[in-house]
Amino acid sequence: MARFDVNAARAQRLEAHGRTWSFELDGESYTLPTELSRKTAKALRKLDDNDVDGLLELLMGEEQYVRFEEHDLTMQDIAAILEAYGKETGLGLGED
């Protein structure tokens, strides 16, 4: 029976999606990870289901999040970002 090669599978995913997913907002670029570390996944589980700000800060990192907070966004804007992110990465964050 052939062994599953985790490193080869990871390399294949990263080749297909890259290490980050990016979006643009008011002429500024932001990136989110295409894969989540176990540490990040644990931190996500500790967030309240409605803590959108906590989710975004965790994914973006403090520096990007500070810039992101300066924009006047609606919850629909954020939902659209998370939906596109989920579709392209398969992570499906922010979904019920």
Side-chain angles (χ1 to χ4, degrees), residues 25-26 28 30 64-73:
L25 174 62
D26 297 334
E28 290 190 56
Y30 296 89
Q64 282 193 106
Y65 184 72
V66 167
R67 288 189 301 118
F68 183 78
E69 269 201 310
E70 294 175 5
H71 299 278
D72 184 24
L73 292 168

Side-chain angles (χ1 to χ4, degrees), residues 6-55:
V6 174
N7 293 330
R10 179 185 305 130
Q12 212 172 21
R13 287 190 313 269
L14 292 175
E15 183 178 324
H17 300 288
R19 290 199 177 278
T20 59
W21 178 82
S22 62
F23 67 95
E24 190 171 304
L25 174 62
D26 297 334
E28 290 190 56
S29 292
Y30 296 89
T31 60
L32 301 175
T34 57
E35 300 212 348
L36 300 181
S37 68
R38 290 180 62 226
K39 180 180 176 182
T40 300
K42 285 180 184 180
L44 283 173
R45 284 194 300 269
K46 292 178 182 177
L47 293 176
D48 182 271
D49 288 344
N50 297 316
D51 189 356
V52 175
D53 292 319
L55 169 66

